[in-house]
Amino acid sequence: MSKGHVLVTGGAGFIGSHLVDILLARGFDVTVLDCLLPQVHGEAECDGEGWPVYLNPAARRIRGNILDDGIFESALSGVTHLAHLAASVGVGQSMANIVDYTRNNTMAAAVMLEVLSRTPHKVERMAVASSMSIYGEGEYRVPGSDRRLAPPLRDHAQLLDHDWELHAGDVDLEPVPTTEDKILQPASIYAVNKRDHEDMFLSVGRALRIPTVALRLFNAYGSRQALSNPYTGVAAIFISRLLNDQPPLVFEDGRQRRDFVHVLDVAEAFAGVLESDKQVWEACNVGSGRAISVNEIAQTLARLLRKNIAPKVLNQYRVGDIRHCFADIGKLERLFGIRPKRDFDLGMGELIDWVSTARRPLDRSAASMAELANNRLVI
Ligand code: UD1
């Protein structure tokens, strides 16, 4: 007997498609609602109707945009669980396409929630994709002190001085794992949209008594990751460079740290939250809990690819970048017993295999660096 019926918006995408596999394997029926954005799906191998070939054939498919008249309401037929992952996801792009981003991210959430509040349905649980970008800078402390700090973004003058760390007076602040209660300081329209849509789902979910969890994803990586669009993460970019015998180009001094989480750990977090019967309305981090510097990523990838190529440290700043942010992953474990399982080196090895076999492992760094410079987005 089916465990329930999950509607996965964005289910043809990088994270959504892995979630679809896991849900089907765990005994759910699945419907995918996806508009197959060319930016995301342009490079994947697709069938005659435009669906990526990796998408599980056992899922029911609806092609369309949540904003299309009536589409969400009809997609909800028989649905008991909602996983909302569809979004416009280019952080930089969001700053020039404010109307589109706000429509696709915030207004789409409004449409979904209004349908849920006005029409009869069977939805009993929701999980929505949020992002670490809503934090802005991560959490810090003065070395030796227990007091946690949430400093603002570094200012222009500091960055022009190539002074990369955050300070309190003369002291360099020490980054610590970021917890969900850190104040939110979204620094892009994408991040503002994600914060708003998280709040919208949590507040309407609470009012309708539908348990809802917003998952704040850190830097997800893995197979099916789009390789040439603006939200391609640093690891895939570095692999393309190394495969083309070029040094990875490192912004700042390369000591900035992030939290790289395997896409299957992310997909399992969604599945676990949907399967749980906890009556909660909460936001939870989804990371690996491990902080890794950009230099370490470049070195690890060169080692795994057996390339004797050192990264090129540019000592330049990419506008909008934060310095350090990595997850405190305790809340997801406390509430749901969910912990990430994948090893970083093994995961990076899989990413390398995926990039090497994907259709176009082209190195687009030169073009994207020129574009960043033209738009004055590197300093
Ligand atoms: C951003 C978003 C995040 C999103 C992620 C992946 C923010 C704060 N975060 O994260 O929501 O999930 O993209 O799409 O907006 N770097 C280099 N060389 C390169 C590329 C990147 O040194 O060629 C550095 C960047 O300067 C940054 C780090 O690598 O310090 C990580 O960059 P990236 O992979 O783009 O992700 P974030 O900016 O952390």
Side-chain angles (χ1 to χ4, degrees), residues 91 131-133 190 217-219 231-235 237-238 249-251 256 258 260 294 318 320-322:
V91 175
S131 164
M132 54 78 95
S133 63
Y190 167 76
L217 311 186
F218 280 66
N219 297 56
Y231 76 97
T232 299
V234 63
I237 295 172
F238 283 3
L249 301 174
V250 170
F251 294 117
Q256 63 272 37
R258 293 290 186 281
F260 289 85
V294 172
R318 188 175 69 170
D321 271 355
I322 51 143

Side-chain angles (χ1 to χ4, degrees), residues 2 7 49 62 71 121 124 168 260 277 300 308 332 348 366 378:
S2 164
L7 173 63
E49 289 170 4
I62 302 173
I71 201 162
H121 61 80
E124 58 193 52
F260 289 85
D277 54 10
T300 304
N308 190 13
L332 192 67
M348 284 291 150
V378 278

Side-chain angles (χ1 to χ4, degrees), residues 20-326:
V20 169
D21 288 341
I22 291 173
L23 291 169
L24 287 165
R26 294 192 187 178
F28 286 94
D29 294 324
V30 176
T31 294
V32 168
L33 173 59
D34 201 300
C35 68
L36 302 178
L37 267 187
Q39 177 173 302
V40 177
H41 297 280
E43 68 194 15
E45 201 183 329
C46 294
D47 67 16
E49 289 170 4
W51 293 92
V53 293
Y54 55 65
L55 183 60
N56 198 308
R60 181 169 75 118
R61 301 164 180 209
I62 302 173
R63 180 173 185 168
N65 190 308
I66 293 163
L67 296 167
D68 296 345
D69 213 14
I71 201 162
F72 179 66
E73 198 172 334
S74 62
L76 271 185
S77 163
V79 164
T80 53
H81 297 66
L82 176 64
H84 176 42
L85 289 96
S88 289
V89 290
V91 175
Q93 271 188 333
S94 72
M95 302 305 270
N97 300 281
I98 299 169
V99 174
D100 270 357
Y101 269 69
T102 303
R103 201 182 278 133
N104 290 339
N105 296 337
T106 315
M107 192 53 85
V111 165
M112 296 167 83
L113 292 166
E114 195 159 303
V115 168
L116 289 170
S117 76
R118 285 189 189 208
T119 51
H121 61 80
K122 298 200 189 80
V123 176
E124 58 193 52
R125 221 170 162 82
M126 303 195 284
V128 302
S130 184
S131 164
M132 54 78 95
S133 63
I134 71 177
Y135 289 122
E137 268 301 337
E139 222 165 325
Y140 290 78
R141 68 175 178 192
V142 174
S145 139
D146 283 339
R147 202 163 65 85
R148 300 171 84 88
L149 301 169
L153 296 182
R154 300 164 292 178
D155 68 22
H156 200 66
Q158 169 177 355
L159 295 162
L160 278 179
D161 266 356
H162 296 178
D163 171 13
W164 307 126
E165 294 295 347
L166 287 104
H167 312 291
D170 291 342
V171 182
D172 279 2
L173 293 177
E174 182 188 331
V176 295
T178 297
T179 50
E180 289 82 355
D181 51 15
K182 191 198 95 82
I183 53 161
L184 303 178
Q185 297 171 305
S188 66
I189 290 296
Y190 167 76
V192 169
N193 292 163
K194 280 285 173 188
R195 179 202 59 193
D196 288 352
H197 117 297
E198 179 181 295
D199 280 346
M200 290 163 76
F201 267 93
L202 290 172
S203 71
V204 178
R206 198 177 285 111
L208 299 178
R209 306 299 303 157
I210 305 173
T212 303
V213 179
L215 293 175
R216 294 180 179 166
L217 311 186
F218 280 66
N219 297 56
Y221 70 90
S223 61
R224 306 179 188 168
Q225 185 160 8
L227 300 177
S228 59
N229 77 36
Y231 76 97
T232 299
V234 63
I237 295 172
F238 283 3
I239 293 170
S240 299
R241 294 281 297 172
L242 289 162
L243 284 173
N244 287 284
D245 291 319
Q246 297 295 320
L249 301 174
V250 170
F251 294 117
E252 305 184 25
D253 58 2
R255 292 192 191 141
Q256 63 272 37
R257 286 191 267 164
R258 293 290 186 281
D259 183 325
F260 289 85
V261 57
H262 195 288
V263 66
L264 291 181
D265 283 326
V266 176
E268 283 175 4
F270 272 94
V273 158
L274 288 170
E275 278 182 315
S276 155
D277 54 10
K278 277 253 162 93
Q279 301 288 303
V280 289
W281 291 266
E282 295 286 346
C284 293
N285 289 338
V286 181
S288 68
R290 186 175 159 193
I292 299 209
S293 74
V294 172
N295 283 334
E296 281 174 89
I297 294 172
Q299 284 151 11
T300 304
L301 293 172
R303 173 169 53 76
L304 293 171
L305 282 161
R306 297 201 180 79
K307 300 267 184 186
N308 190 13
I309 301 175
K312 185 169 169 198
V313 177
L314 297 172
N315 215 25
Q316 283 180 316
Y317 169 68
R318 188 175 69 170
V319 170
D321 271 355
I322 51 143
R323 179 63 175 169
H324 304 289
C325 192
F326 42 92

